[in-house]
Amino acid sequence: MTMHALSTPEDAKALRENRARIAGRLVGRERELELTLAAVAAGRDIVLEGPPGTSKTTILRAITEEWGIPLLFVEGNADLTPAKLVGHHNPARVLREDYSPENFVPGPLLEAMQQGGFLYIEEFNRAPEDTLNTLLTAMADRSITVPRVGRIEAQPTFRVIASMNPYDNVGTTRLSTSVHDRLNRLAVDYQSTADEERIVALRSGASGALGERMIGDAVAVTRATRSHPDVCQGSSVRGAIDTVLVAGRLAELRGVDAPDAEGYPELFYDAMIVALSGRIHLDEAAETTAEAVLREIWEDRFVLEPHKAAPG
């Protein structure tokens, strides 16, 4: 199927089949998948804007696996220079052979262009301006000229995918109008409680009455970190997954084998401290600690409203 545009009914049918197969690899995210797939199938580059742990990478990996193309990761930061993005000549070979196309080592941008892959730049708005300008050329022309190497033409499936975290502006730069003009945009927020519980169950492997309670409690307290007044950014679903995994091992160590066992509440609090305390970011004006915030969330769940946490 041509990924530039849909010109025939056969192309449209193939795209719908793509969507159905990819959706089978995801938990929820039907709308986000459909919109992202529509954009990249139309030949467009896109920025996915949302907090960490909201399935952005999962969606992209599923699409590239379905298309049979690579997904190349780059972290946007001050060290991401144009040379690191484009590539460089091997210094040892240059000394022996002088500069030549044969001793050029492609960077992730050229690899993605030559292999027709997705170049996925996380924390896009942390990259230096001259690096973004290099990307603009590749996005606008679908080609790039490298000194002493020549012109590199992108394969038809080459895309630039960027991600940004709207809750984190420390160390970021404001993107220019020309950058925004080259990118489509999709906001990707946290999933529903039910979807997050399905994700945690799938990733943790927890089962049985005890496992089911841990999953429900972990998702509830993790979601509570996102709305606590002293927290500027709460934990993603990864925190809930780790809470269940740690709690499961603690249960084995302490001999807790039932959801209504006497030691379960304190066991769960200890798992929260390990799994969540490093994942929540407190407001700069908050005069508290991550541990105190988590204790408050735990008390809301297990002390003030114990019926919400009770099994069944």
Side-chain angles (χ1 to χ4, degrees), residues 1 9-25 33 37 66-67:
M1 183 180 76
E10 289 74 20
D11 287 341
K13 180 183 177 183
L15 187 61
R16 289 193 294 270
E17 291 173 348
N18 274 182
R19 178 184 59 186
R21 285 191 295 266
I22 295 168
R25 309 178 198 182
L33 166 61
L37 183 58
E66 173 67 22
W67 286 9

Side-chain angles (χ1 to χ4, degrees), residues 80-144:
L80 184 61
T81 62
K84 286 185 178 180
L85 194 64
V86 174
H88 65 279
H89 289 271
N90 184 305
R93 292 188 60 183
V94 168
L95 288 174
R96 296 194 307 266
E97 310 163 6
D98 204 356
Y99 290 97
S100 71
E102 288 71 30
N103 58 42
F104 184 79
V105 181
L109 173 59
L110 261 63
E111 284 189 56
M113 294 176 71
Q114 292 172 326
Q115 298 176 35
F118 286 8
L119 178 66
Y120 182 35
I121 307 176
E122 298 184 293
E123 305 292 346
F124 183 66
N125 51 340
R126 295 180 184 275
E129 185 176 358
D130 54 348
T131 303
L132 296 180
N133 289 336
T134 300
L135 277 170
L136 278 176
T137 301
M139 289 190 289
D141 300 336
R142 315 316 279 185
S143 66
I144 190 169

Side-chain angles (χ1 to χ4, degrees), residues 2 9 16-17 19 21 61 63 101 140-141 152 177 205 209 220-221 234 250 254 262 278 296 299 303:
T2 300
R16 289 193 294 270
E17 291 173 348
R19 178 184 59 186
R21 285 191 295 266
R61 183 175 287 114
I63 293 174
D141 300 336
I152 306 298
T177 302
V221 298
L250 280 177
R254 299 180 185 181
E262 183 179 351
E296 182 181 331
E299 289 176 352
V303 180

Side-chain angles (χ1 to χ4, degrees), residues 7 20 33 63 122 130 200 227 277 287 291 301:
S7 57
L33 166 61
I63 293 174
E122 298 184 293
D130 54 348
V200 175
S227 57
S277 62
E287 296 180 358
E291 288 77 9
R301 177 75 176 173

Side-chain angles (χ1 to χ4, degrees), residues 260-276:
D260 55 355
E262 183 179 351
Y264 174 79
E266 283 299 329
L267 173 156
F268 195 84
Y269 171 72
D270 289 340
M272 288 173 58
I273 292 299
V274 173
L276 296 175

